[in-house]
Structure formats: C-alpha cells, structure tokens
Amino acid sequence: MSKSLNYMPGEIHADYKIVLNPHEDLRVKIVNIKKDFGENYKAPTALWGKPHIMLAKFTVWQMMEDRIVHRLKVSAMGMPPFKVLLKDYGSIPSHSIVINVASKLPIQHLVKELRTAKRLMKSPDHVPFFNIDPHLIIASKLLPAQYEKSWLEYSHKSFTGSFIADTMLLLKRNEGEKAYQIVKRLEFMNLPVSTTQGQLFP
C-alpha cells in the first residue's frame, strides 16, 4: 500500500455509496410502492432510503475523498449515457424484495470501470463492494415470515419503468449518522479515452 493510503492518527472514516438515481416521477412511483410494502408487511426498512441502484459501497478515511471524486469524475467522463429498464420483482433469499433490472450489461460495464479505482476505496478494516447484480431494493432485512409472505405476493406482481442514466451520484454518511448526503454528481459525457486520460494525468 502506498504511503499516501496509510492510516493517519485522528483521521475520520466515512461510508460512501455510488448509485444511479431514477428520474423524479419514477422515484415517486417506487417510493409509493415501498410505502405500501412497509405498511402491509410491518416492514420499516421499506421506508428507509431513497430509491436507487447501488453500484458500489466502501468505507475509507475522509482524507481520500478528493482523490476518489477526481478518479470517479474521470471514469464518468468516458461513459456514455444509457437506458435502464426495470421489470417486475425479484428477491434476495431470504431477506429482501427488489425490482429487477432488465438491462444489466451497461451497468455491469460501469461497475467494471469503477473497480479500476478499487485501490483508492480500500482501508485496512474495510473491503469495497462492487455490485455486479444490479437491482433496486424495495425492502431489506426482512424477517423470514415477512419475506416468505411478501415474496408470495410480489413474485406474481408486475412492474415496468425506465430512465436514462446520464449521471451517477457519490453519497456519503459520516460516522454516527444514518442518512447519506450527496457529495458529487458525476456526469456521463462519452468522451474519448485520450481526453479522460488527459484529465487523469494533467
């Protein structure tokens, strides 16, 4: 590990997520689904958080934030906008109900690009997570009875939605906090590799 990534006494950790955010109308539609789920199945986790597709999550010292933002900006500059298709419901046995992503390949390509910044996202006690099976969570951390009953219903429900992913968001949660805040919106600009490399090595 390079010297710049070594621990510095007194440095504070923060949790980070990189996500894709649906447009407002779709977010409202999904929030209402989450609300109904939470009420019907007495599942407060359905009410937590805003609808998003998680690409990666990691915990690092806050001193790394500027370097990570710069690296993610370069990655975003080389990415073209793409359409995300959401289709019906899925589950993660035996604890979560999700909305399926029908168009996984562009997201998986983006996650592969994010992995090139893995070194910056590492810390001695935390390994970064990169999501190669994208989905949008309706409710998580369900009890077995909640999961079984709700999946019996939602496995027969239908859902369709789509949005254009033209940005990704870097979110941050400080130690002791529950909510994530937006650190940076990173636009997909579909620029040539030579241009993005020039940004990386000015």
Side-chain angles (χ1 to χ4, degrees):
M1 184 178 291
S2 66
K3 185 176 180 180
S4 62
L5 300 185
N6 287 341
Y7 174 74
M8 294 182 65
E11 186 60 40
I12 299 173
H13 280 92
D15 299 324
Y16 294 87
K17 286 183 181 180
I18 306 170
V19 306
L20 298 178
N21 208 21
H23 60 71
E24 185 176 358
D25 288 346
L26 186 54
R27 285 202 308 272
V28 170
K29 180 180 179 181
I30 297 170
V31 164
N32 288 332
I33 292 171
K34 288 165 65 69
K35 183 179 178 181
D36 287 344
F37 188 103
E39 292 173 352
N40 292 338
Y41 293 100
K42 304 295 187 289
T45 59
L47 307 177
W48 296 353
K50 298 176 181 179
H52 64 261
I53 298 172
M54 186 180 68
L55 306 173
K57 63 179 179 179
F58 53 96
T59 300
V60 292
W61 300 297
Q62 292 193 57
M63 66 181 236
M64 296 300 301
E65 186 174 300
D66 287 346
R67 292 180 63 184
I68 290 170
V69 168
H70 176 69
R71 183 65 186 82
L72 294 179
K73 183 179 178 181
V74 171
S75 293
M77 288 173 64
M79 285 296 302
F82 56 89
K83 189 172 187 177
V84 178
L85 301 175
L86 304 177
K87 178 69 173 173
D88 298 335
Y89 295 91
S91 72
I92 305 175
S94 54
H95 52 75
S96 299
I97 304 297
V98 305
I99 294 176
N100 295 322
V101 174
S103 53
K104 293 182 186 291
L105 285 178
I107 299 177
Q108 290 169 338
H109 176 70
L110 174 56
V111 171
K112 183 179 179 181
E113 170 60 29
L114 295 177
R115 285 181 66 91
T116 64
K118 182 177 180 179
R119 186 179 65 90
L120 297 177
M121 301 174 186
K122 278 185 175 180
S123 62
D125 299 325
H126 300 92
V127 177
F129 170 76
F130 298 93
N131 189 13
I132 59 171
D133 184 22
H135 50 263
L136 196 151
I137 291 178
I138 296 299
S140 61
K141 300 181 180 178
L142 297 172
L143 298 174
Q146 288 175 313
Y147 169 80
E148 291 171 11
K149 187 177 180 181
S150 62
W151 180 230
L152 190 62
E153 177 187 358
Y154 277 77
S155 62
H156 297 96
K157 281 179 172 284
S158 61
F159 179 92
T160 55
S162 65
F163 66 96
I164 300 299
D166 55 7
T167 61
M168 61 183 177
L169 303 180
L170 176 63
L171 308 179
K172 173 183 178 180
R173 179 177 66 184
N174 292 316
E175 285 188 37
E177 295 180 349
K178 290 185 178 181
Y180 281 83
Q181 306 295 330
I182 297 174
V183 175
K184 192 74 174 178
R185 295 180 184 270
L186 301 146
E187 295 186 21
F188 300 153
M189 303 174 70
N190 199 25
L191 294 176
V193 173
S194 59
T195 303
T196 59
Q197 288 296 318
Q199 288 287 326
L200 189 57
F201 304 109

